[in-house]
PDB file of all heavy atoms in Angstrom:
ATOM      1  N   LEU B  97      93.678  62.127 -65.617  1.00 88.00           N
ATOM      2  CA  LEU B  97      95.107  62.327 -65.914  1.00 88.00           C
ATOM      3  C   LEU B  97      95.795  63.065 -64.763  1.00 88.00           C
ATOM      4  O   LEU B  97      95.136  63.605 -63.877  1.00 88.00           O
ATOM      5  CB  LEU B  97      95.264  63.136 -67.199  1.00 88.00           C
ATOM      6  CG  LEU B  97      94.709  62.498 -68.475  1.00 88.00           C
ATOM      7  CD1 LEU B  97      94.635  63.533 -69.599  1.00 88.00           C
ATOM      8  CD2 LEU B  97      95.578  61.320 -68.913  1.00 88.00           C
ATOM      9  N   LYS B  98      97.140  63.110 -64.850  1.00 90.00           N
ATOM     10  CA  LYS B  98      97.889  63.838 -63.819  1.00 90.00           C
ATOM     11  C   LYS B  98      98.140  65.261 -64.291  1.00 90.00           C
ATOM     12  O   LYS B  98      98.481  65.483 -65.470  1.00 90.00           O
ATOM     13  CB  LYS B  98      99.232  63.148 -63.553  1.00 90.00           C
ATOM     14  CG  LYS B  98      99.089  61.880 -62.741  1.00 90.00           C
ATOM     15  CD  LYS B  98     100.448  61.286 -62.435  1.00 90.00           C
ATOM     16  CE  LYS B  98     100.300  60.035 -61.599  1.00 90.00           C
ATOM     17  NZ  LYS B  98     101.565  59.318 -61.460  1.00 90.00           N
ATOM     18  N   VAL B  99      98.016  66.223 -63.371  1.00 90.00           N
ATOM     19  CA  VAL B  99      98.236  67.637 -63.708  1.00 90.00           C
ATOM     20  C   VAL B  99      99.628  67.840 -64.299  1.00 90.00           C
ATOM     21  O   VAL B  99      99.803  68.502 -65.320  1.00 90.00           O
ATOM     22  CB  VAL B  99      98.062  68.527 -62.435  1.00 90.00           C
ATOM     23  CG1 VAL B  99      98.568  69.934 -62.678  1.00 90.00           C
ATOM     24  CG2 VAL B  99      96.604  68.560 -62.013  1.00 90.00           C
ATOM     25  N   GLN B 100     100.612  67.205 -63.671  1.00 91.00           N
ATOM     26  CA  GLN B 100     101.995  67.422 -64.091  1.00 91.00           C
ATOM     27  C   GLN B 100     102.231  66.902 -65.512  1.00 91.00           C
ATOM     28  O   GLN B 100     102.965  67.522 -66.283  1.00 91.00           O
ATOM     29  CB  GLN B 100     102.958  66.746 -63.103  1.00 91.00           C
ATOM     30  CG  GLN B 100     104.368  67.309 -63.102  1.00 91.00           C
ATOM     31  CD  GLN B 100     104.436  68.800 -62.795  1.00 91.00           C
ATOM     32  OE1 GLN B 100     103.559  69.349 -62.145  1.00 91.00           O
ATOM     33  NE2 GLN B 100     105.463  69.460 -63.299  1.00 91.00           N
ATOM     34  N   ASP B 101     101.585  65.786 -65.870  1.00 90.00           N
ATOM     35  CA  ASP B 101     101.735  65.238 -67.230  1.00 90.00           C
ATOM     36  C   ASP B 101     101.164  66.212 -68.256  1.00 90.00           C
ATOM     37  O   ASP B 101     101.753  66.432 -69.316  1.00 90.00           O
ATOM     38  CB  ASP B 101     101.008  63.887 -67.339  1.00 90.00           C
ATOM     39  CG  ASP B 101     101.720  62.797 -66.545  1.00 90.00           C
ATOM     40  OD1 ASP B 101     102.911  62.998 -66.223  1.00 90.00           O
ATOM     41  OD2 ASP B 101     101.070  61.770 -66.243  1.00 90.00           O
ATOM     42  N   ILE B 102     100.023  66.804 -67.924  1.00 90.00           N
ATOM     43  CA  ILE B 102      99.397  67.763 -68.857  1.00 90.00           C
ATOM     44  C   ILE B 102     100.291  68.989 -69.003  1.00 90.00           C
ATOM     45  O   ILE B 102     100.561  69.456 -70.119  1.00 90.00           O
ATOM     46  CB  ILE B 102      97.986  68.181 -68.355  1.00 90.00           C
ATOM     47  CG1 ILE B 102      97.056  66.970 -68.283  1.00 90.00           C
ATOM     48  CG2 ILE B 102      97.388  69.257 -69.256  1.00 90.00           C
ATOM     49  CD1 ILE B 102      95.692  67.264 -67.691  1.00 90.00           C
ATOM     50  N   VAL B 103     100.762  69.504 -67.864  1.00 88.00           N
ATOM     51  CA  VAL B 103     101.609  70.711 -67.883  1.00 88.00           C
ATOM     52  C   VAL B 103     102.870  70.471 -68.707  1.00 88.00           C
ATOM     53  O   VAL B 103     103.299  71.325 -69.497  1.00 88.00           O
ATOM     54  CB  VAL B 103     101.951  71.139 -66.427  1.00 88.00           C
ATOM     55  CG1 VAL B 103     103.032  72.206 -66.413  1.00 88.00           C
ATOM     56  CG2 VAL B 103     100.705  71.652 -65.727  1.00 88.00           C
ATOM     57  N   ASN B 104     103.461  69.285 -68.549  1.00 88.00           N
ATOM     58  CA  ASN B 104     104.691  68.970 -69.284  1.00 88.00           C
ATOM     59  C   ASN B 104     104.436  68.820 -70.788  1.00 88.00           C
ATOM     60  O   ASN B 104     105.339  69.040 -71.607  1.00 88.00           O
ATOM     61  CB  ASN B 104     105.321  67.680 -68.748  1.00 88.00           C
ATOM     62  CG  ASN B 104     105.885  67.873 -67.350  1.00 88.00           C
ATOM     63  OD1 ASN B 104     106.156  69.001 -66.933  1.00 88.00           O
ATOM     64  ND2 ASN B 104     106.053  66.779 -66.632  1.00 88.00           N
ATOM     65  N   THR B 105     103.211  68.442 -71.169  1.00 87.00           N
ATOM     66  CA  THR B 105     102.885  68.209 -72.581  1.00 87.00           C
ATOM     67  C   THR B 105     102.409  69.481 -73.280  1.00 87.00           C
ATOM     68  O   THR B 105     102.514  69.592 -74.506  1.00 87.00           O
ATOM     69  CB  THR B 105     101.782  67.109 -72.684  1.00 87.00           C
ATOM     70  OG1 THR B 105     102.130  66.040 -71.811  1.00 87.00           O
ATOM     71  CG2 THR B 105     101.651  66.561 -74.087  1.00 87.00           C
ATOM     72  N   MET B 106     101.880  70.428 -72.514  1.00 83.00           N
ATOM     73  CA  MET B 106     101.338  71.669 -73.108  1.00 83.00           C
ATOM     74  C   MET B 106     102.443  72.477 -73.788  1.00 83.00           C
ATOM     75  O   MET B 106     103.507  72.675 -73.227  1.00 83.00           O
ATOM     76  CB  MET B 106     100.708  72.547 -72.014  1.00 83.00           C
ATOM     77  CG  MET B 106      99.355  72.081 -71.540  1.00 83.00           C
ATOM     78  SD  MET B 106      98.891  72.804 -69.939  1.00 83.00           S
ATOM     79  CE  MET B 106      98.638  74.496 -70.393  1.00 83.00           C
ATOM     80  N   LYS B 107     102.125  72.944 -75.046  1.00 79.00           N
ATOM     81  CA  LYS B 107     103.095  73.795 -75.746  1.00 79.00           C
ATOM     82  C   LYS B 107     103.052  75.208 -75.177  1.00 79.00           C
ATOM     83  O   LYS B 107     104.057  75.910 -75.120  1.00 79.00           O
ATOM     84  CB  LYS B 107     102.782  73.819 -77.243  1.00 79.00           C
ATOM     85  CG  LYS B 107     103.181  72.524 -77.939  1.00 79.00           C
ATOM     86  CD  LYS B 107     102.827  72.590 -79.398  1.00 79.00           C
ATOM     87  CE  LYS B 107     103.074  71.231 -80.052  1.00 79.00           C
ATOM     88  NZ  LYS B 107     102.365  71.097 -81.317  1.00 79.00           N
ATOM     89  N   SER B 108     101.846  75.653 -74.823  1.00 79.00           N
ATOM     90  CA  SER B 108     101.680  76.956 -74.173  1.00 79.00           C
ATOM     91  C   SER B 108     100.482  76.857 -73.232  1.00 79.00           C
ATOM     92  O   SER B 108      99.868  75.792 -73.132  1.00 79.00           O
ATOM     93  CB  SER B 108     101.428  78.047 -75.218  1.00 79.00           C
ATOM     94  OG  SER B 108     100.087  78.013 -75.647  1.00 79.00           O
ATOM     95  N   THR B 109     100.163  77.955 -72.550  1.00 76.00           N
ATOM     96  CA  THR B 109      99.039  77.893 -71.600  1.00 76.00           C
ATOM     97  C   THR B 109      97.706  78.248 -72.269  1.00 76.00           C
ATOM     98  O   THR B 109      96.700  78.419 -71.587  1.00 76.00           O
ATOM     99  CB  THR B 109      99.302  78.845 -70.412  1.00 76.00           C
ATOM    100  OG1 THR B 109      99.527  80.151 -70.924  1.00 76.00           O
ATOM    101  CG2 THR B 109     100.493  78.406 -69.593  1.00 76.00           C
ATOM    102  N   LYS B 110      97.699  78.351 -73.605  1.00 78.00           N
ATOM    103  CA  LYS B 110      96.447  78.659 -74.311  1.00 78.00           C
ATOM    104  C   LYS B 110      95.458  77.495 -74.161  1.00 78.00           C
ATOM    105  O   LYS B 110      95.884  76.324 -74.162  1.00 78.00           O
ATOM    106  CB  LYS B 110      96.731  78.866 -75.808  1.00 78.00           C
ATOM    107  CG  LYS B 110      97.396  80.200 -76.116  1.00 78.00           C
ATOM    108  CD  LYS B 110      97.665  80.285 -77.601  1.00 78.00           C
ATOM    109  CE  LYS B 110      98.513  81.499 -77.924  1.00 78.00           C
ATOM    110  NZ  LYS B 110      99.021  81.459 -79.300  1.00 78.00           N
ATOM    111  N   PRO B 111      94.148  77.792 -74.056  1.00 78.00           N
ATOM    112  CA  PRO B 111      93.149  76.717 -73.902  1.00 78.00           C
ATOM    113  C   PRO B 111      93.223  75.670 -75.013  1.00 78.00           C
ATOM    114  O   PRO B 111      93.020  74.472 -74.764  1.00 78.00           O
ATOM    115  CB  PRO B 111      91.819  77.472 -73.936  1.00 78.00           C
ATOM    116  CG  PRO B 111      92.146  78.854 -73.514  1.00 78.00           C
ATOM    117  CD  PRO B 111      93.531  79.120 -73.997  1.00 78.00           C
ATOM    118  N   THR B 112      93.525  76.103 -76.265  1.00 79.00           N
ATOM    119  CA  THR B 112      93.602  75.137 -77.362  1.00 79.00           C
ATOM    120  C   THR B 112      94.753  74.151 -77.152  1.00 79.00           C
ATOM    121  O   THR B 112      94.612  72.947 -77.397  1.00 79.00           O
ATOM    122  CB  THR B 112      93.813  75.875 -78.709  1.00 79.00           C
ATOM    123  OG1 THR B 112      94.851  76.844 -78.534  1.00 79.00           O
ATOM    124  CG2 THR B 112      92.538  76.536 -79.194  1.00 79.00           C
ATOM    125  N   ASP B 113      95.890  74.663 -76.657  1.00 81.00           N
ATOM    126  CA  ASP B 113      97.044  73.792 -76.379  1.00 81.00           C
ATOM    127  C   ASP B 113      96.776  72.852 -75.203  1.00 81.00           C
ATOM    128  O   ASP B 113      97.279  71.730 -75.170  1.00 81.00           O
ATOM    129  CB  ASP B 113      98.291  74.630 -76.092  1.00 81.00           C
ATOM    130  CG  ASP B 113      98.851  75.257 -77.368  1.00 81.00           C
ATOM    131  OD1 ASP B 113      98.549  74.736 -78.460  1.00 81.00           O
ATOM    132  OD2 ASP B 113      99.570  76.270 -77.270  1.00 81.00           O
ATOM    133  N   LEU B 114      95.961  73.339 -74.260  1.00 81.00           N
ATOM    134  CA  LEU B 114      95.593  72.506 -73.110  1.00 81.00           C
ATOM    135  C   LEU B 114      94.777  71.300 -73.600  1.00 81.00           C
ATOM    136  O   LEU B 114      95.061  70.161 -73.227  1.00 81.00           O
ATOM    137  CB  LEU B 114      94.789  73.349 -72.104  1.00 81.00           C
ATOM    138  CG  LEU B 114      94.093  72.620 -70.969  1.00 81.00           C
ATOM    139  CD1 LEU B 114      95.083  71.873 -70.090  1.00 81.00           C
ATOM    140  CD2 LEU B 114      93.303  73.599 -70.094  1.00 81.00           C
ATOM    141  N   LYS B 115      93.795  71.567 -74.484  1.00 81.00           N
ATOM    142  CA  LYS B 115      92.964  70.480 -74.997  1.00 81.00           C
ATOM    143  C   LYS B 115      93.785  69.512 -75.833  1.00 81.00           C
ATOM    144  O   LYS B 115      93.610  68.288 -75.759  1.00 81.00           O
ATOM    145  CB  LYS B 115      91.802  71.051 -75.815  1.00 81.00           C
ATOM    146  CG  LYS B 115      90.687  71.535 -74.891  1.00 81.00           C
ATOM    147  CD  LYS B 115      89.522  72.094 -75.637  1.00 81.00           C
ATOM    148  CE  LYS B 115      88.516  72.676 -74.647  1.00 81.00           C
ATOM    149  NZ  LYS B 115      87.568  73.564 -75.243  1.00 81.00           N
ATOM    150  N   GLN B 116      94.712  70.084 -76.641  1.00 83.00           N
ATOM    151  CA  GLN B 116      95.584  69.230 -77.468  1.00 83.00           C
ATOM    152  C   GLN B 116      96.450  68.335 -76.596  1.00 83.00           C
ATOM    153  O   GLN B 116      96.642  67.154 -76.898  1.00 83.00           O
ATOM    154  CB  GLN B 116      96.490  70.112 -78.338  1.00 83.00           C
ATOM    155  CG  GLN B 116      95.821  70.508 -79.654  1.00 83.00           C
ATOM    156  CD  GLN B 116      96.733  71.352 -80.526  1.00 83.00           C
ATOM    157  OE1 GLN B 116      97.913  71.532 -80.232  1.00 83.00           O
ATOM    158  NE2 GLN B 116      96.175  71.877 -81.604  1.00 83.00           N
ATOM    159  N   ALA B 117      96.979  68.908 -75.511  1.00 84.00           N
ATOM    160  CA  ALA B 117      97.824  68.125 -74.595  1.00 84.00           C
ATOM    161  C   ALA B 117      97.043  66.968 -73.996  1.00 84.00           C
ATOM    162  O   ALA B 117      97.538  65.841 -73.917  1.00 84.00           O
ATOM    163  CB  ALA B 117      98.365  69.039 -73.494  1.00 84.00           C
ATOM    164  N   VAL B 118      95.795  67.240 -73.608  1.00 84.00           N
ATOM    165  CA  VAL B 118      94.956  66.198 -73.014  1.00 84.00           C
ATOM    166  C   VAL B 118      94.662  65.104 -74.041  1.00 84.00           C
ATOM    167  O   VAL B 118      94.752  63.905 -73.742  1.00 84.00           O
ATOM    168  CB  VAL B 118      93.643  66.808 -72.460  1.00 84.00           C
ATOM    169  CG1 VAL B 118      92.660  65.721 -72.054  1.00 84.00           C
ATOM    170  CG2 VAL B 118      93.939  67.708 -71.265  1.00 84.00           C
ATOM    171  N   GLU B 119      94.338  65.521 -75.283  1.00 84.00           N
ATOM    172  CA  GLU B 119      94.050  64.542 -76.350  1.00 84.00           C
ATOM    173  C   GLU B 119      95.248  63.647 -76.616  1.00 84.00           C
ATOM    174  O   GLU B 119      95.117  62.432 -76.727  1.00 84.00           O
ATOM    175  CB  GLU B 119      93.642  65.283 -77.641  1.00 84.00           C
ATOM    176  CG  GLU B 119      92.262  65.938 -77.570  1.00 84.00           C
ATOM    177  CD  GLU B 119      91.152  64.960 -77.161  1.00 84.00           C
ATOM    178  OE1 GLU B 119      91.141  63.821 -77.659  1.00 84.00           O
ATOM    179  OE2 GLU B 119      90.321  65.346 -76.313  1.00 84.00           O
TER     180      GLU B 119
END
Side-chain angles (χ1 to χ4, degrees):
Chain B
L97 298 167
K98 285 183 179 171
V99 168
Q100 202 58 25
D101 290 342
I102 298 175
V103 169
N104 291 339
T105 315
M106 284 162 69
K107 285 179 187 161
S108 79
T109 56
K110 285 178 189 168
T112 47
D113 286 339
L114 169 61
K115 280 180 185 163
Q116 273 181 8
V118 170
E119 289 306 317

